[in-house]
Amino acid sequence: MKTWIAFWNILKKDIQNYYLKPPNISWGIIFPLSWTLMQLIRSSGGMNLSDIRALLPGLMAMSVLFGTTSMLAVTITFERKGRSFDRLLLAPISLSTMVAAKLSGAILFGLFNAFVPVIFASFFIDLAVISWGVVLLAVFLIAVTSTLLGLLIAVSAKEVFEAQTFSNFFRFPMLFLCGLFLPVSSLPVFLRPISYLLPLTYGTDLLGGAILGVGTLPPVLCVLILLVFAIVLFTFCQYNIRRKWIL
Amino acid sequence: MSTTGIVSVTNLSKCYGNFTAVNGISFSIRRGEIFGFLGPNGAGKTTTINMMIGLARPSGGSVEIDGIDAVKNVKKAQSIMGIVPDESNLYDEMDGFDNLCFCGSLYGMRKAEREQRAKALLSQFDLAKAGKRPFKAYSKGMRRKLTIAAGIIHRPEILFLDEPTTGIDVESARQIRHLLLELKQRGTTIFITTHYIEDAERICDRIAFIAGGNIVANGTVSELMQSVSHGYAIRLTANQNLEPLAGDLQQHFDGCTVKVDTNHEVTLLCEERIPLSPVLQYLDGKGISVFEAKEIRPTLEDVFVNITGIEAEKLKKEKEKGGVAK
Ligand SMILES: Nc1ncnc2c1ncn2[C@@H]1O[C@H](COP(=O)(O)OP(=O)(O)OP(=O)(O)O)[C@@H](O)[C@H]1O
Ligand SMILES: [Mg+2]
């Protein structure tokens, strides 16, 4: 019970202090929106409704990626810099509970971001044929793995600007490597192995399968691989936190 | 360790690379006492506290708190600790009240309980009006007070304070000392680091001096005082120049040394305690009025200077530096 109170309050504080702040919310909305417009304008001027559907998986994955990675990395680095993070390290709750609480805020924010493009798309296309259960699972797993990537960055960064730079360093290449807007199969052969080392590739594939029916890998395999990524990243981050944050 | 001990630190050390910040120190703290940890800047006070509370990993040695191995079982030990770090590290964006409530929640306090306690603490610390202001709008003294309040909101059994009175005004420092004595009365054990010797002298039951990562003295205030006892002394202030009388005084009071401090002041030093009235009578007989006669005892500062060989001046400078910088 005590652990749960602490967990919930850490989560609530992060949501109120960071995720619900206007700049972050607008970032979550404006970025996917402008990307959508760009794609639509590029696609030969005419609004083609099937284009919107085709864009949706990539847009959702991108929104989650951008909503989670840098947010967590920046907020943690910020709290570490101001030393308020010490309070969390000193709280009588296990390190993994504390880290899970920090992760949850970013994951929820990622989920919220993912559905921004869905809401826009719903004005134009019929979304009833999509298997929402799989979509939700895919979005959740993308959010978890991207958030953990953010944590990995937070563990390595000392300054807030470092956290920001590191996250961009990771996520911009991922836009192109993970099949968000270009199929992995269209990438040069030597880049493809890198694609398959990134969790986002599997998440996007899962989403593509659920929304467009064009998944290239079996969904169950994608889910399993994403889970393995999540566990490995979480364990690795915890090991690093113990080593680096408790001097 | 005595049966009433709550903390026992054994051979605790911390190295950063090949620099030894804390060099195998041992001490114990009794339940319900205020234990002072004194030393100049860089002595290793914060490093020691951080190892005790689980923010730093010892390079060697052990810390036991209330029977819990605080190195291996950090989280269990932390549940009975309250911590006031040397920097005021609450959340800038949150107001005072929310900050306190959040800290309470980290220790599993329920909403009604922590809100009630937060309110009580805000008024106890004269911060009731500032409760709805964000922490970043607090003055330095207010920040300090709120940080202390945050450290005790969950009523810890043992409270660690790292330089709680550095950089705040005299009145706030007095309030804090008062609060610590009150907490002690309710049975809280207190570990406090400071470089204000006067603070330690006023409130601590026992004191350890640390310098260069080593504990150089450790004991009750009176034990430490005795260690530098240089006999007894009386200082007299009179209505006229006492210098010409110095020789006479010395002759009359056999075994005493007379030191002329200023024109109108002399100090009599003696192996034994000096009764006042013969001295006063003698001076009266010479037609001298004495306005003030005061027995002088060694201060903790004397002890510290004596033991560590650090001159008082250097210590003062550090104090001033600390007061401005923090
Ligand atoms: N992370 C670190 N890496 C390297 N050296 C460190 C580290 N932390 C502390 N030290 C060194 O350890 C020594 C003791 O530092 P500590 O902060 O414990 O001193 P202190 O007694 O708290 O001093 P102050 O009165 O200034 O707070 C100092 O020489 C300091 O430079
Ligand atoms: Mg210190």
Side-chain angles (χ1 to χ4, degrees):
Chain A
M1 186 62 206
K2 286 191 165 185
T3 304
W4 174 242
I5 291 176
F7 177 93
W8 168 241
N9 279 279
I10 295 173
L11 175 59
K12 200 173 78 177
K13 174 192 72 69
D14 278 2
I15 292 177
Q16 283 170 350
N17 276 357
Y18 306 123
Y19 301 116
L20 282 186
K21 287 281 150 79
N24 295 324
I25 296 179
S26 58
W27 172 248
I29 294 172
I30 288 168
F31 195 67
L33 192 64
S34 43
W35 188 279
T36 315
L37 286 175
M38 191 180 90
Q39 296 286 328
L40 287 178
I41 290 165
R42 208 195 51 165
S43 66
S44 71
M47 282 275 269
N48 190 337
L49 293 187
S50 69
D51 282 352
I52 297 183
R53 182 181 295 271
L55 277 176
L56 199 54
L59 272 175
M60 289 174 77
M62 183 181 73
S63 302
V64 180
L65 180 67
F66 275 74
T68 48
T69 349
S70 67
M71 280 304 283
L72 188 73
V74 168
T75 54
I76 289 187
T77 318
F78 177 74
E79 288 190 353
R80 289 212 345 110
K81 200 82 184 112
R83 299 264 314 267
S84 57
F85 200 78
D86 285 355
R87 295 199 173 270
L88 306 181
L89 290 173
L90 290 171
I93 49 168
S94 72
L95 197 62
S96 36
T97 309
M98 186 271 280
V99 171
K102 297 298 278 183
L103 292 172
S104 303
I107 291 171
L108 285 177
F109 188 65
L111 288 178
F112 163 80
N113 276 343
F115 287 94
V116 173
V118 175
I119 291 165
F120 283 116
S122 70
F123 292 115
F124 304 105
I125 54 173
D126 176 20
L127 298 172
V129 288
I130 295 171
S131 29
W132 287 110
V134 182
V135 169
L136 203 63
L137 182 67
V139 168
F140 176 73
L141 288 172
I142 296 174
V144 171
T145 46
S146 315
T147 304
L148 283 165
L149 219 55
L151 182 61
L152 197 64
I153 293 163
V155 177
S156 330
K158 284 204 175 64
E159 305 285 341
V160 174
F161 79 87
E162 270 178 18
Q164 193 73 54
T165 316
F166 284 161
S167 1
N168 285 334
F169 180 77
F170 278 107
R171 61 195 184 174
F172 278 105
M174 279 163 78
L175 285 184
F176 301 99
L177 288 171
C178 298
L180 268 66
F181 303 103
L182 308 163
V184 175
S185 57
S186 70
L187 290 175
V189 178
F190 68 95
L191 282 179
R192 280 183 228 164
I194 306 177
S195 299
Y196 287 105
L197 285 175
L198 296 166
L200 191 59
T201 305
Y202 303 94
T204 313
D205 200 72
L206 197 56
L207 265 183
I211 295 175
L212 308 169
V214 296
T216 57
L217 298 164
V220 178
L221 182 67
C222 289
V223 171
L224 281 179
I225 292 177
L226 282 167
L227 283 175
V228 170
F229 264 113
I231 292 165
V232 170
L233 278 171
F234 189 71
T235 315
F236 182 67
C237 285
Q238 261 203 342
Y239 165 78
N240 261 310
I241 288 171
R242 285 222 169 81
R243 210 167 49 93
K244 291 194 173 169
W245 289 354
I246 299 173
L247 290 174
Chain B
M1 196 177 118
S2 79
T3 45
T4 51
I6 184 167
V7 175
S8 126
V9 168
T10 317
N11 277 327
L12 193 65
S13 59
K14 180 73 187 177
C15 306
Y16 293 107
N18 50 18
F19 173 75
T20 306
V22 173
N23 188 12
I25 60 173
S26 302
F27 59 89
S28 60
I29 304 176
R30 294 181 196 146
R31 199 175 288 275
E33 77 177 352
I34 302 185
F35 188 91
F37 209 52
L38 259 87
N41 289 137
K45 302 183 294 295
T46 302
T47 308
T48 305
I49 239 183
N50 282 348
M51 287 192 282
M52 294 170 78
I53 62 180
L55 264 194
R57 200 168 284 124
S59 311
S62 67
V63 178
E64 198 183 295
I65 292 176
D66 204 19
I68 305 161
D69 181 335
V71 179
K72 288 209 182 77
N73 207 344
V74 190
K75 291 295 158 188
K76 189 164 177 215
Q78 280 171 346
S79 66
I80 61 162
M81 294 180 188
I83 292 140
V84 180
D86 55 351
E87 274 174 59
S88 305
N89 67 344
L90 287 157
Y91 296 90
D92 271 336
E93 324 76 39
M94 281 157 68
D95 66 33
F97 180 75
D98 286 348
N99 260 305
L100 292 185
C101 289
F102 177 69
C103 291
S105 76
L106 289 179
Y107 292 84
M109 289 173 81
R110 285 162 192 279
K111 193 173 159 76
E113 188 192 359
R114 59 181 190 252
E115 286 187 348
Q116 187 200 355
R117 185 93 172 112
K119 260 193 214 122
L121 284 169
L122 283 174
S123 59
Q124 186 183 350
F125 282 86
D126 293 330
L127 291 171
K129 280 205 204 96
K132 285 285 151 219
R133 255 184 265 163
F135 187 60
K136 61 172 171 252
Y138 277 34
S139 78
K140 198 189 291 170
M142 290 160 80
R143 292 167 76 89
R144 207 72 209 121
K145 286 199 262 184
L146 197 72
T147 308
I148 296 176
I152 58 174
I153 187 160
H154 57 291
R155 303 181 202 273
E157 273 177 54
I158 173 160
L159 180 63
F160 292 86
L161 302 109
D162 198 355
E163 311 210 7
T165 52
T166 299
I168 62 173
D169 69 26
V170 186
E171 173 55 20
S172 302
R174 199 190 57 81
Q175 278 176 7
I176 289 170
R177 283 195 302 271
H178 192 72
L179 171 93
L180 294 182
L181 289 171
E182 230 175 78
L183 284 171
K184 177 192 155 170
Q185 238 151 34
R186 296 211 197 110
T188 312
T189 307
I190 297 171
F191 180 91
I192 174 175
T193 79
T194 178
H195 40 217
Y196 292 88
I197 286 177
E198 301 87 335
D199 265 3
E201 201 166 351
R202 283 193 186 116
I203 60 169
C204 293
D205 299 300
R206 287 192 312 129
I207 287 171
F209 284 134
I210 180 168
N214 293 294
I215 288 187
V216 290
N218 181 356
T220 63
V221 175
S222 59
E223 276 166 11
L224 291 172
M225 298 292 195
Q226 268 162 24
S227 72
V228 286
S229 179
H230 35 226
Y232 292 88
I234 297 180
R235 179 182 292 145
L236 302 162
T237 311
N239 67 338
Q240 51 182 273
N241 192 355
L242 292 170
E243 206 170 343
L245 272 175
D248 280 1
L249 264 171
Q250 181 132 9
Q251 236 169 25
H252 193 80
F253 296 94
D254 204 21
C256 282
T257 320
V258 177
K259 209 172 104 232
V260 179
D261 294 330
T262 65
N263 249 345
H264 292 186
E265 277 184 3
V266 292
T267 305
L268 269 95
L269 293 145
C270 197
E271 277 304 311
E272 272 142 54
R273 211 158 184 197
I274 312 161
L276 263 184
S277 69
V279 181
L280 295 179
Q281 265 166 21
Y282 175 78
L283 289 172
D284 213 35
K286 300 260 173 193
I288 293 167
S289 313
V290 175
F291 296 136
E292 193 185 322
K294 190 176 167 193
E295 189 175 36
I296 300 172
R297 297 154 191 267
T299 62
L300 208 51
E301 186 150 342
D302 297 329
V303 179
F304 188 73
V305 170
N306 196 332
I307 292 173
T308 59
I310 297 171
E311 325 83 77
E313 270 314 298
K314 191 174 153 211
L315 208 70
K316 280 232 173 62
K317 264 190 213 134
E318 271 167 12
K319 263 190 251 170
E320 278 152 21
K321 233 173 41 196
V324 175
K326 293 208 172 169

